[in-house]
Amino acid sequence: MTPSAKVCILAILIFCSVAFLLPPPNAHAASGDSDQQKNEIEKGIKQTTINIGRLKEGIKHQEEQIRETKKVELTLLTEMQDIDSRLTEQNYKIETLESRMNKQQELVFEKKAAMNEAASLMEGVQSHVTRRMQAFYKLGEFGLIHIGFSDQTLPELLSFQDSFLAMIKYDHSLIDTYRTTISELGQAIDSLRLQEDIFEELLVENLEEQEKLDGLKQEKERLLDRIRTQAKLHEKAAAEMEAAAEKLTARLQGLKEQEKRIDQGFLYNKGAHPPPVAGTI
């Protein structure tokens, strides 16, 4: 290479170096744009950070609401379990009372049947007694005429009269027994009916209590459905906030990268720029 060529190349390199070191004609304008861009990025970083903080607070609030709804749900489930136990107890009481009332009614029916039978038997005995008494009165007392014209001897006539009177006495005793039996059966029926009335009152009270418990259970079930719906809404809101926070976090990272690029300027991509002039020295 000739000396003149070397001088030309050296001059070109010096010129390029000086040109590179000197600021361009619009350096002040470029610097102003960078400052404005940096301010915008800083504002974006600040606002994004605030928004992320708000989202985190919102997520925290939603998680607290979820925990509260879970507590309420657990309380409601415990209360409903208690109501179910009370309903089971009420059902047992009602079934027991209904069974006792059925037995009472059966006993009343049996007592009535026995009383009707005793009354029927007593009527039969009374009918026999009436016929015997009528025959006795028609026969009249034994006098000389009866003794004289009778085919039977006096002892036989007297024995017949004693037997007849004994039979009537027995019939009266039997009637008294039937009357006593009917009276006792009537008292037993009255007692059974009184007990039946008591059972019926208890049954009505237990049915009313059962109805109240059923209504309370339905109310708790509606409240439980509402609480579970609220829990799902809180979970959905928390998930949406988490997704939004992730997006904002990614955006914040991008803004910080831009800020770093502006702060470091040319040095940020050191080694990545092409050489200003190709050639060898």
Side-chain angles (χ1 to χ4, degrees):
M1 181 179 295
T2 61
S4 60
K6 291 181 179 181
V7 171
C8 289
I9 292 173
L10 182 60
I12 292 171
L13 290 174
I14 293 171
F15 175 79
C16 291
S17 298
V18 173
F20 179 78
L21 294 174
L22 291 175
N26 58 349
H28 294 289
S31 177
D33 292 340
S34 297
D35 292 340
Q36 183 178 0
Q37 186 178 6
K38 183 177 180 181
N39 289 334
E40 293 295 330
I41 291 173
E42 288 177 350
K43 289 180 181 179
I45 291 173
K46 182 179 180 181
Q47 187 61 46
T48 303
T49 303
I50 292 173
N51 291 337
I52 291 174
R54 289 175 178 174
L55 284 172
K56 288 182 178 180
E57 288 296 324
I59 293 170
K60 183 179 179 181
H61 175 71
Q62 295 299 327
E63 290 175 346
E64 290 176 355
Q65 292 297 317
I66 292 171
R67 286 192 293 271
E68 288 298 322
T69 53
K70 293 297 182 182
K71 290 180 181 178
V72 175
E73 180 180 359
L74 181 60
T75 301
L76 287 173
L77 290 173
T78 303
E79 291 176 353
M80 290 176 65
Q81 185 177 5
D82 178 66
I83 292 173
D84 286 335
S85 298
R86 292 167 63 186
L87 279 172
T88 301
E89 183 179 354
Q90 286 300 120
N91 289 332
Y92 175 75
K93 289 181 180 179
I94 290 171
E95 290 176 358
T96 302
L97 288 171
E98 288 177 343
S99 176
R100 289 183 178 179
M101 287 182 65
N102 290 333
K103 289 181 179 179
Q104 292 294 109
Q105 292 173 356
E106 291 176 0
L107 289 173
V108 169
F109 180 79
E110 291 175 0
K111 298 295 183 182
K112 282 184 176 181
M115 188 170 65
N116 291 333
E117 183 180 0
S120 178
L121 292 173
M122 186 179 69
E123 289 178 359
V125 173
Q126 286 177 335
S127 178
H128 286 298
V129 171
T130 300
R131 288 196 296 270
R132 289 193 184 105
M133 292 296 295
Q134 288 175 351
F136 181 77
Y137 288 133
K138 288 180 180 179
L139 181 62
E141 295 183 358
F142 292 109
L144 294 175
I145 297 176
H146 291 91
I147 296 172
F149 289 96
S150 177
D151 295 334
Q152 297 176 330
T153 63
L154 179 59
E156 290 176 343
L157 290 173
L158 293 175
S159 177
F160 172 78
Q161 185 178 13
D162 291 339
S163 298
F164 190 84
L165 292 175
M167 187 178 296
I168 292 176
K169 184 178 180 180
Y170 171 77
D171 289 339
H172 279 293
S173 175
L174 190 60
I175 290 172
D176 291 338
T177 301
Y178 285 137
R179 284 176 177 171
T180 302
T181 301
I182 291 172
S183 177
E184 291 175 351
L185 289 172
Q187 292 176 0
I189 290 173
D190 292 339
S191 177
L192 290 171
R193 284 177 173 171
L194 179 60
Q195 293 177 13
E196 186 178 351
D197 291 339
I198 295 173
F199 289 151
E200 186 174 0
E201 291 178 1
L202 292 174
L203 180 61
V204 170
E205 291 177 0
N206 282 274
L207 287 173
E208 290 176 352
E209 181 66 19
Q210 185 187 45
E211 185 177 359
K212 290 180 182 178
L213 289 173
D214 285 333
L216 182 60
K217 182 180 179 180
Q218 292 176 2
E219 181 181 351
K220 297 294 182 182
E221 287 176 346
R222 288 192 295 268
L223 183 57
L224 180 61
D225 290 338
R226 187 160 61 249
I227 289 298
R228 285 176 173 172
T229 301
Q230 290 178 359
K232 290 180 180 179
L233 292 175
H234 289 308
E235 290 172 356
K236 182 179 179 181
E240 291 176 352
M241 288 181 180
E242 287 177 356
E246 290 178 359
K247 291 181 180 179
L248 287 178
T249 301
R251 180 185 176 188
L252 178 62
Q253 187 64 30
L255 290 173
K256 288 182 178 180
E257 288 292 331
Q258 292 180 17
E259 183 182 33
K260 183 178 179 181
R261 189 179 297 113
I262 291 174
D263 289 340
Q264 293 183 357
F266 180 79
L267 296 177
Y268 182 80
N269 292 320
K270 182 179 180 181
H273 294 289
V277 177
T280 58
I281 300 176

